[in-house]
């Protein structure tokens, strides 16, 4: 009798341990089972666009989906994209212009999740009082600071000039890191600069910079700026991991409507001063990708002659997860 009871207790204990083990491997309640790769690396660059990503990390949204997500911080969106395409990292946050240029150059990239779009007054062309640039009509023939050629800063600047009938054939484009633009303006090394937040507010503070025109107006109003991508090979091999990442980002984006939750993350992770963070205009955060909206990016690249053929955004967008 004692032997049978002991055997039953052992069987029950074994069942409990098996269930606990299975639960510990399950990728969250909505993950549909164990993710293929619980620990993933995401290539990023320090920007306000990462606010929802940081919230997903620190708010436990990744953990709830069975993911341990580590950030690999680089200097730019191009560096993040390179780290992802060469296999150093699993996913990358970059600008949509760079994703489509990579696709145009033969790299099979896929778009996983949205990150940000331009909100009013969050991305502007700015000048300073001693600059010869006073209005958008003064920009052609001047020295304009951009982050890099064919990046969002370049493309949006040319688009808004085109909308106002201003040529850009004689512009001297001056690529430089965004944090350096305020000083370059103050020293007269450039006449105008494309500035997103928080650099927009910082330049106003340190150099007295003021807006010439909102770069996200006219054809580029609410323009898609940044998103997360991966290689097609990675997506094919990790469909459950991808969906878990999407669900975590969707829930974090929903929570980001409370500015009090994301402002401290910007201060801590993007190294933005508290006074700047409290004044700056946040971008519009998103998560789910819409093909019609994202198509605006390759269409503008084609209109400006950056790419010669039409690129189909829908063919690059992966299936999108949903949550209840």
């Amino acid at each position: 009798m004692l032997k049978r009871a002991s055997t039953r207790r052992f069987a029950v204990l074994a069942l409990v341990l098996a269930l606990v083990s299975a639960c510990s491997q399950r990728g969250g309640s909505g993950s549909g089972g164990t993710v293929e790769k619980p620990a993933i690396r995401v290539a990023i660059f320090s920007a306000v666009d990462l606010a929802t990503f940081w919230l997903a990390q620190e708010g436990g949204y990744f953990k709830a989906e069975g993911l341990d997500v580590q950030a690999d911080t680089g200097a730019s969106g191009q560096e993040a994209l390179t780290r992802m395409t060469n296999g150093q990292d699993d996913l990358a946050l970059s600008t949509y212009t760079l994703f489509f240029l990579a696709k145009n150059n033969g790299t099979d990239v896929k778009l996983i999740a949205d990150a940000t779009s331009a909100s009013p007054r969050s991305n502007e062309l700015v000048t300073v009082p001693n600059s010869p640039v006073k209005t958008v009509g003064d920009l052609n023939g001047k020295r304009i600071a951009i982050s890099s050629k064919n990046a969002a800063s370049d493309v949006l600047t040319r688009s808004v000039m085109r909308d106002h009938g201003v040529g850009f054939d004689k512009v001297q484009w001056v690529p430089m890191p965004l944090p350096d633009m305020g000083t370059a303006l103050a020293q007269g090394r450039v006449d105008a600069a494309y500035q997103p937040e928080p650099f927009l507010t910082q330049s106003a503070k340190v150099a007295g910079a003021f807006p010439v025109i909102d770069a996200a107006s006219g054809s580029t109003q609410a323009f898609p700026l940044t998103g997360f991508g991966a290689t097609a090979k990675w997506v094919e091999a990790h469909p459950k991991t991808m969906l878990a990442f999407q669900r975590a980002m969707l829930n974090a984006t929903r929570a980001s409507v409370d500015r009090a939750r994301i402002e401290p993350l910007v201060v801590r992770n993007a190294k933005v001063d508290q006074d700047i963070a409290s004044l700056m205009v946040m971008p519009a955060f998103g998560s789910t990708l819409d093909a019609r909206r994202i198509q605006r990016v390759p269409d503008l690249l084609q209109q400006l002659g950056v790419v010669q053929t039409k690129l189909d955004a829908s063919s690059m967008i992966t299936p999108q997860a949903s949550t209840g």
Side-chain angles (χ1 to χ4, degrees):
M1 181 70 72
L2 288 174
K3 184 176 180 179
R4 287 199 299 271
S6 177
T7 300
R8 284 196 300 271
R9 284 196 297 270
F10 179 79
V12 170
L13 178 60
L15 178 60
V16 169
L17 289 174
L19 289 172
V20 169
S21 176
C23 289
S24 67
Q25 297 176 32
R26 188 175 302 276
S29 60
S31 66
T34 306
V35 297
E36 301 89 356
K37 191 173 184 181
I40 62 173
R41 288 168 59 87
V42 180
I44 65 170
F45 58 100
S46 185
V48 175
D49 305 72
L50 270 298
T52 51
F53 175 82
W54 294 321
L55 182 56
Q57 276 189 313
E58 299 183 27
Y61 295 102
F62 285 137
K63 185 178 180 181
E65 294 293 341
L67 295 176
D68 175 18
V69 177
Q70 299 299 316
D72 182 17
T73 305
S76 65
Q78 182 59 65
E79 184 176 330
L81 183 60
T82 300
R83 291 183 182 186
M84 179 269 288
T85 55
N86 68 16
Q88 181 177 340
D89 294 320
D90 299 287
L91 300 111
L93 174 97
S94 192
T95 60
Y96 285 118
T97 55
L98 293 177
F99 279 123
F100 282 104
L101 287 173
K103 179 69 173 180
N104 187 63
N105 292 331
T107 303
D108 197 358
V109 293
K110 296 292 185 181
L111 300 176
I112 303 295
D114 192 22
T116 60
S117 297
S119 58
R121 303 186 310 281
S122 65
N123 296 260
E124 295 186 310
L125 282 167
V126 300
T127 188
V128 288
N130 62 348
S131 168
V133 173
K134 305 301 179 187
T135 69
V136 65
D138 301 326
L139 288 169
N140 197 19
K142 302 302 189 296
R143 300 163 299 170
I144 303 178
I146 56 173
S147 59
S148 63
K149 190 66 176 171
N150 295 330
S153 57
D154 175 30
V155 171
L156 267 66
T157 298
R158 284 193 279 163
S159 178
V160 79
M161 290 175 68
R162 183 190 61 175
D163 285 349
H164 287 79
V166 181
F168 41 78
D169 55 309
K170 296 180 181 179
V171 166
Q172 181 182 342
W173 303 104
V174 186
M176 67 175 63
L178 291 166
D180 297 345
M181 292 182 185
T183 301
L185 280 167
Q187 294 175 349
R189 290 187 281 119
V190 294
D191 304 307
Y194 174 97
Q195 292 273 261
E197 291 286 21
F199 309 105
L200 187 59
T201 300
Q202 288 173 342
S203 292
K205 183 178 180 181
V206 303
F210 60 91
V212 175
I213 192 167
D214 190 340
S217 59
S219 300
T220 52
Q221 184 176 3
F223 198 74
L225 294 176
T226 61
F228 293 92
T231 63
K233 182 179 179 181
W234 190 94
V235 169
E236 184 178 357
H238 306 90
K240 292 181 180 179
T241 307
M242 178 192 72
L243 291 172
F245 181 87
Q246 290 174 341
R247 280 191 298 270
M249 289 302 302
L250 178 55
N251 286 324
T253 301
R254 288 172 174 172
S256 71
V257 296
D258 181 3
R259 183 174 175 127
R261 296 196 66 182
I262 60 173
E263 198 171 288
L265 299 175
V266 170
V267 172
R268 184 162 60 253
N269 295 293
K271 311 303 180 186
V272 177
D273 292 342
Q274 178 59 60
D275 58 336
I276 298 292
S278 63
L279 293 171
M280 62 176 282
V281 177
M282 293 288 183
F285 297 109
S287 177
T288 303
L289 292 164
D290 176 76
R292 289 176 300 176
R293 178 176 152 273
I294 302 301
Q295 186 64 44
R296 296 176 62 194
V297 180
D299 285 353
L300 181 58
L301 291 175
Q302 187 178 13
Q303 291 163 17
L304 294 174
V306 178
V307 299
Q308 303 305 313
T309 58
K310 185 175 181 63
L311 297 173
D312 180 17
S314 64
S315 67
M316 294 173 61
I317 295 176
T318 59
Q320 298 291 287
S322 61
T323 63

